[in-house]
Amino acid sequence: MFLIAILVVVAIAAEIIHRLNPWKKPEPAYEELVAQIKAADWYRKLAEDDVCRDILENDPHVQAFFPGPYEAQRLLTQEGYQLGLIDYVTEQAAKRKRT
């Protein structure tokens, strides 16, 4: 029981130190993340096509890929997440072009 109490106190102290860390870099604003996404090479390649650009700007499913800072950061850093968005946009563009 004593060991559990010590572990709880250490965990609380570590969380307080983590939150009050003055050297921690602040997280970028959501608008900055979206600007970085739109400046990425893969996004610009998609936006070159008019149909894909329309899907990127107006499709609610595309907006669901980065509704907040966590998802936007994920879209910038994780290639698999990027490929998911690219596949969705190209698939929707192919459907629009067929009709």
Side-chain angles (χ1 to χ4, degrees), residues 67-84:
Y70 172 75
E71 293 85 1
Q73 185 70 36
R74 205 173 146 199
L75 193 57
L76 282 170
T77 58
Q78 295 182 1
E79 187 177 346
Y81 203 58
Q82 294 168 1
L83 292 175

Side-chain angles (χ1 to χ4, degrees), residues 41-98:
D41 291 334
W42 58 268
Y43 189 93
R44 284 187 283 135
K45 273 187 178 180
L46 277 176
E48 288 175 358
D49 183 21
D50 292 334
V51 176
C52 289
R53 185 178 333 106
D54 183 53
I55 293 169
L56 285 169
E57 293 172 356
N58 300 318
D59 192 328
H61 292 90
V62 170
Q63 303 307 320
F65 269 91
F66 50 100
Y70 172 75
E71 293 85 1
Q73 185 70 36
R74 205 173 146 199
L75 193 57
L76 282 170
T77 58
Q78 295 182 1
E79 187 177 346
Y81 203 58
Q82 294 168 1
L83 292 175
L85 177 61
I86 293 168
D87 287 345
Y88 175 76
V89 171
T90 53
E91 183 180 300
Q92 293 302 313
K95 285 181 183 178
R96 284 191 187 181
K97 288 178 181 176
R98 274 188 260 145

